[in-house]
Amino acid sequence: MSEGKEGRGRVRTGGYVGFADLPNQVHRKSVKKGFEFTLMVVGESGLGKSTLVNSLFLTDLYAKRAPNSAKDRINKTVSIETNCVEIEEKGVRLRLTVVDTPGFGDALNNDKCEESIIKYVANQYEAYLQDESGLNRRNIVDNRVHCCLYFISPYGRGLKPIDIKFMRSLHDKVNIVPVIAKADTLTKTEIRSLKARILEEIEEASIRIYQFPECDSDEDEDFVEMNKDLKESLPFAVIGSNTFIVKEGNRVIGRQYPWGVVEVENPEHSDFGKLRNMLIRTHMQDLKEVTRDVHYENFRSQKLSYSDLEGSILQKNPAAAHNFTIHSPSLTTLNLTTTPSTNTSINESTGPKVVDETDKIIREKDEELKRMQRMVEQLTKQQNMLAAMQKQ
């Protein structure tokens, strides 16, 4: 009795079958459904965040705001403001949500100014997880933050402590793209120096900003060159303006100065065009995929791990329900709080056993999470080494 052999290989069809049109089917469905993108902008007041967003998407999301007085900013807390607009271009609809953080870095004491932002990001992950676990999963609205533009002041000699603290708090939760604001206040030499200094400080602080994906060998040469140029341009030095100026008979978006005109879309004056290309034309889908496959999955795995932990503790020790509650983390750490029971006899007889069993399970879960983190770090190092070898 002969055994059958199973082989795999690439075989060309003898004629036209039709599955080559599958990309067209996906395209039609995607266009019909529309796309969603959530952009967060963070930075101190006066760095031109609102102006830049209006310039990027050619919309008027933000009306002119009256600046707060110095007295109002002393105890100013960070608030979260969301603006949603539907944009249509050549039949393609985009539901753009811009999350602004007025008040960030404006108060006298900025020790906890990032907490409300972390909470907002976690709440969006939580809401998506709840919708994903529900009965109706067909019309889930994705409000997860896909990209965070962090605005860095051009007036310093690098990053401030608040910049480092914020990016370290958010770098494993959202894609961070650093941006040097108001680049027209710097010369080209100063911009190059400031970019190098910022990247050096980011590396020293072990901050993970958004990493551009490596191009495949069969990628288009123009895209490979553009991707390389975008990588080398980080952090983007940008200028924002909503004013049209006539220059040599042409209408351009820019700023009029006594010595001349600064053009927002001129690559010699600003990285605005590169930032817009990255956000909209070339890497929007990758930003969404990294959010889904990395940041959201990390949150989801943590959430499910702690849910399993709570369930296993309560299953082994039913009396534990009277003695403690586990608060699942909002992308931070596990908090274990004890609440006194009204039944003294239960506390005396089961309390120590519950605590011992809880500590044991928590230690096991922590060790498991640490092992997973070490594996991820090793894989990341291997990928970086392979990328470096390919470049050579």
Side-chain angles (χ1 to χ4, degrees):
M1 184 176 179
S2 61
E3 295 182 358
K5 293 183 179 179
E6 181 180 350
R8 290 185 180 180
R10 181 176 294 181
V11 180
R12 293 185 180 275
T13 60
Y16 178 74
V17 177
F19 57 80
D21 286 330
L22 281 173
N24 296 332
Q25 297 178 34
V26 175
H27 177 263
R28 283 195 298 270
K29 288 193 70 174
S30 299
V31 170
K32 184 177 180 181
K33 182 180 178 182
F35 298 89
E36 299 169 323
F37 189 73
T38 300
L39 176 69
M40 174 179 278
V41 289
V42 182
E44 299 175 9
S45 297
L47 293 181
K49 302 187 295 296
S50 303
T51 303
L52 183 70
V53 169
N54 287 339
S55 303
L56 281 172
F57 297 98
L58 299 179
T59 59
D60 191 17
L61 279 173
Y62 297 99
K64 290 186 178 181
R65 295 173 177 167
N68 293 323
S69 64
K71 183 179 179 181
D72 294 334
R73 291 199 300 267
I74 291 176
N75 297 315
K76 176 72 174 176
T77 58
V78 180
S79 57
I80 305 293
E81 294 181 3
T82 59
N83 288 278
C84 185
V85 62
E86 283 203 2
I87 307 172
E88 184 169 339
E89 182 182 52
K90 295 183 180 179
V92 178
R93 290 181 294 107
L94 172 68
R95 190 180 71 88
L96 171 68
T97 302
V98 179
V99 183
D100 198 3
T101 56
F104 178 84
D106 290 348
L108 195 61
N109 183 357
N110 294 305
D111 280 347
K112 298 181 180 179
C113 63
E114 77 281 357
E115 287 186 356
S116 60
I117 300 173
I118 294 175
K119 184 177 179 181
Y120 177 84
V121 173
N123 287 342
Q124 304 316 306
Y125 285 150
E126 178 71 34
Y128 192 88
L129 180 60
Q130 294 295 329
D131 291 342
E132 196 178 43
S133 306
L135 295 175
N136 184 12
R137 300 173 53 185
R138 299 189 55 156
N139 300 310
I140 299 177
V141 178
D142 185 6
N143 287 320
R144 295 172 295 183
V145 178
H146 301 117
C147 179
C148 173
L149 293 183
Y150 186 74
F151 286 70
I152 300 168
S153 173
Y155 308 121
R157 296 184 177 180
L159 296 176
K160 299 178 182 178
I162 189 175
D163 301 330
I164 296 174
K165 183 182 178 185
F166 173 81
M167 287 193 282
R168 288 190 68 175
S169 301
L170 266 290
H171 69 163
D172 58 345
K173 304 167 181 62
V174 70
N175 298 310
I176 296 177
V177 177
V179 170
I180 300 174
K182 298 194 172 183
D184 51 337
T185 62
L186 303 171
T187 64
K188 289 185 177 181
T189 303
E190 290 171 336
I191 288 175
R192 286 194 296 267
S193 176
L194 183 57
K195 283 187 175 186
R197 178 63 179 164
I198 289 172
L199 290 177
E200 181 183 341
E201 291 178 342
I202 285 176
E203 185 175 356
E204 288 176 356
S206 300
I207 296 169
R208 296 189 300 273
I209 58 176
Y210 172 68
Q211 298 295 317
F212 288 90
E214 295 296 330
C215 294
D216 296 330
S217 57
D218 59 347
E219 288 281 3
D220 182 74
E221 290 184 6
D222 292 338
F223 179 79
V224 173
E225 192 64 32
M226 179 188 295
N227 197 58
K228 180 182 176 183
D229 188 31
L230 291 174
K231 284 183 181 179
E232 294 173 350
S233 298
L234 282 173
F236 297 106
V238 298
I239 303 167
S241 175
N242 297 320
T243 305
F244 282 93
I245 297 172
V246 178
K247 180 183 178 183
E248 298 178 356
N250 298 318
R251 294 176 77 243
V252 296
I253 302 175
R255 291 183 176 275
Q256 179 75 57
Y257 290 98
W259 42 264
V261 175
V262 174
E263 299 177 43
V264 170
E265 298 182 349
N266 189 334
E268 294 294 323
H269 298 172
S270 166
D271 292 334
F272 173 86
K274 296 177 182 178
L275 175 62
R276 183 176 59 188
N277 286 340
M278 188 274 290
L279 277 179
I280 304 171
R281 298 177 183 174
T282 59
H283 290 78
M284 177 181 283
Q285 187 60 33
D286 187 68
L287 287 165
K288 295 178 68 172
E289 289 176 0
V290 173
T291 300
R292 180 193 65 203
D293 299 337
V294 179
H295 300 306
Y296 173 68
E297 279 302 313
N298 287 341
F299 171 84
R300 183 174 174 273
S301 61
Q302 284 188 20
K303 188 79 175 177
L304 295 178
S305 296
Y306 287 116
S307 297
D308 292 342
L309 171 62
E310 183 177 8
S312 60
I313 292 174
L314 296 179
Q315 184 178 9
K316 292 182 179 180
N317 301 279
H322 301 285
N323 294 323
F324 66 89
T325 54
I326 293 180
H327 300 285
S328 59
S330 296
L331 293 173
T332 52
T333 56
L334 175 69
N335 296 319
L336 187 67
T337 59
T338 59
T339 56
S341 174
T342 56
N343 191 333
T344 307
S345 61
I346 291 178
N347 270 339
E348 290 175 354
S349 61
T350 63
K353 293 181 181 178
V354 171
V355 173
D356 292 342
E357 188 66 29
T358 302
D359 290 341
K360 180 181 177 182
I361 296 175
I362 289 175
R363 284 196 298 270
E364 291 175 354
K365 290 293 182 181
D366 285 342
E367 288 299 323
E368 184 179 349
L369 287 172
K370 288 178 182 178
R371 283 196 299 271
M372 292 173 64
Q373 288 174 352
R374 286 195 294 268
M375 289 175 62
V376 171
E377 290 175 359
Q378 290 176 357
L379 288 172
T380 303
K381 288 181 181 178
Q382 291 176 1
Q383 290 176 350
N384 291 337
M385 289 175 63
L386 288 172
M389 291 172 64
Q390 290 175 354
K391 288 180 180 180
Q392 292 177 355

